[in-house]
Amino acid sequence: MSATHAWGQIPEHLRGGLARYLIFGVRTGSALQAFLENDLLRFVHCANDDTLAALRPMTQFIYNYTPRGCFGRDGVTDSWQSLSLGARVVSLRNADCGPAFDAMCADAGESIPSAMLAADYVIGTMEARDGL
């Protein structure tokens, strides 16, 4: 399964929030945040039936196509959110989710102006290289 296909398997009502988190570092809703923090009990408690049904496609996409630094326990999501836009973009593009990046931007409801990426690219590349 390709990254783009896996992204498309995530229900539409979750893709926007997940894309905004992955690209722009925006905090998600409670169920999605619990999912990203590997807190299954809180995820099940907070999720509605449609979100619960999305557990498998979300897990497959996050585990197989995103950088390990964007999900997990012990402040990992806070660290991801504190990265610059450039660092998140470089990390996502270097991970296997690169081919799904354009679809993620569309689902985030925002575009990333090329000038912003160019200005932030050098910093992001350095942060991603250094594991920040």
Side-chain angles (χ1 to χ4, degrees):
M1 177 182 322
S2 72
T4 304
H5 180 74
W7 178 256
Q9 297 302 304
I10 298 171
E12 188 174 344
H13 75 280
L14 295 168
R15 286 195 309 250
L18 186 56
R20 284 186 292 279
Y21 166 75
L22 290 170
I23 299 168
F24 297 102
V26 175
R27 188 166 176 82
T28 66
S30 56
L32 195 49
Q33 194 67 36
F35 168 78
L36 291 165
E37 293 172 354
N38 289 339
D39 188 341
L40 182 61
L41 293 177
R42 189 165 52 105
F43 172 77
V44 170
H45 175 75
C46 295
N48 63 27
D49 290 342
D50 292 335
T51 301
L52 279 172
L55 182 60
R56 179 179 296 248
M58 288 191 312
T59 301
Q60 289 173 328
F61 181 80
I62 291 292
Y63 183 80
N64 292 316
Y65 300 108
T66 64
R68 296 296 173 248
C70 73
F71 65 93
R73 291 199 166 274
D74 300 326
V76 171
T77 58
D78 293 333
S79 295
W80 181 257
Q81 290 172 293
S82 71
L83 292 174
S84 69
L85 171 64
R88 284 189 300 275
V89 168
V90 167
S91 294
L92 289 166
R93 288 205 166 150
N94 286 342
D96 289 334
C97 89
F101 188 77
D102 290 339
M104 292 167 61
C105 287
D107 286 327
E110 300 183 37
S111 64
I112 302 175
S114 57
M116 180 187 288
L117 280 180
D120 211 21
Y121 183 78
V122 172
I123 293 170
T125 302
M126 293 166 60
E127 287 177 348
R129 179 198 66 211
D130 295 340
L132 300 175

